[in-house]
Amino acid sequence: MKKMSLRTRVLTGAVALGALGALGAGTFGAMSANASTLATAPAAAVKADTADRNLQQSTHLTVAAATKAAQAALDAAKKENQRVSVAVVDRNGNTLVTLRGDGAGPRSPESAVKKAYTAVSWNAPTSELVKRLEQAPNLKDIPGTLFLAGGAPVQVKGAPVAGIGVAGAPSGDLDEKFAAAGVAALGR
């Protein structure tokens, strides 16, 4: 390791002390700010943000709404004596709710999440997406997706805000029927 000259060590120390001093002053300044300053600062930032044309707002389901939809899908399956798992994902594909019904297969929760993700990603029921594989077979290679019937998008003004996936019934048509029941429950 190269030895630093005295001048380099002094300059490096001065820069480090200056940075610590600035950090300490910033911390002290933040600590000494009064409540009225803190209360008005976020309001000003919000006003600027809502007028900013570089920002975009999006709609998301609440956890309560996602749970309601998942339970409705699970109840629809139960009425037909089907043992399934249900998943609801948000617009970004993050799982909000997963319900594994009594007696559902061990792989069904994972499949339900993938179907929900696939439906919201393409804003289409997964049964429709299966048809697209004929023209573009490589779609099935996209990580996290599952091109089997059983996923349905949740839309607000035509835009996808969530996806509901159901897996475990003997046919994809039944899975998708139960997913549609979950979507319908959100309209009630």
Side-chain angles (χ1 to χ4, degrees):
M1 186 167 155
K2 185 177 174 183
K3 187 175 179 181
M4 289 195 287
S5 70
L6 176 61
R7 182 172 189 228
T8 304
R9 285 185 290 189
V10 170
L11 287 174
T12 304
V15 169
L17 284 174
L20 286 174
L23 179 63
T27 303
F28 177 75
M31 300 289 274
S32 66
N34 65 33
S36 64
T37 304
L38 292 176
T40 58
V46 170
K47 287 179 186 174
D49 286 350
T50 57
D52 190 342
R53 300 210 189 280
N54 293 320
L55 298 178
Q56 182 177 3
Q57 294 182 353
S58 61
T59 304
H60 297 273
L61 284 185
T62 63
V63 171
T67 303
K68 176 182 177 180
Q71 189 62 56
L74 195 60
D75 291 345
K78 194 173 185 178
K79 284 181 187 174
E80 295 192 28
N81 295 317
Q82 298 300 316
R83 297 177 176 141
V84 301
S85 290
V86 180
V88 180
V89 300
D90 68 11
R91 174 63 186 109
N92 300 319
N94 299 310
T95 303
L96 295 171
V97 176
T98 303
L99 298 177
R100 183 173 180 261
D102 295 334
R107 303 287 300 180
S108 63
E110 180 183 349
S111 296
V113 169
K114 287 181 176 184
K115 288 179 182 184
Y117 175 75
T118 305
V120 74
S121 295
W122 276 273
N123 194 23
T126 53
S127 61
E128 293 297 319
L129 297 171
V130 170
K131 297 172 189 172
R132 294 185 193 178
L133 287 178
E134 294 170 12
Q135 289 81 32
N138 292 348
L139 283 177
K140 70 182 180 320
D141 298 332
I142 297 172
T145 60
L146 186 58
F147 288 85
L148 295 174
V154 177
Q155 300 174 343
V156 173
K157 297 180 182 174
V161 297
I164 300 175
V166 177
S171 77
D173 293 339
L174 283 173
D175 285 341
E176 200 155 306
K177 176 183 174 182
F178 305 143
V183 173
L186 294 171
R188 294 184 222 143

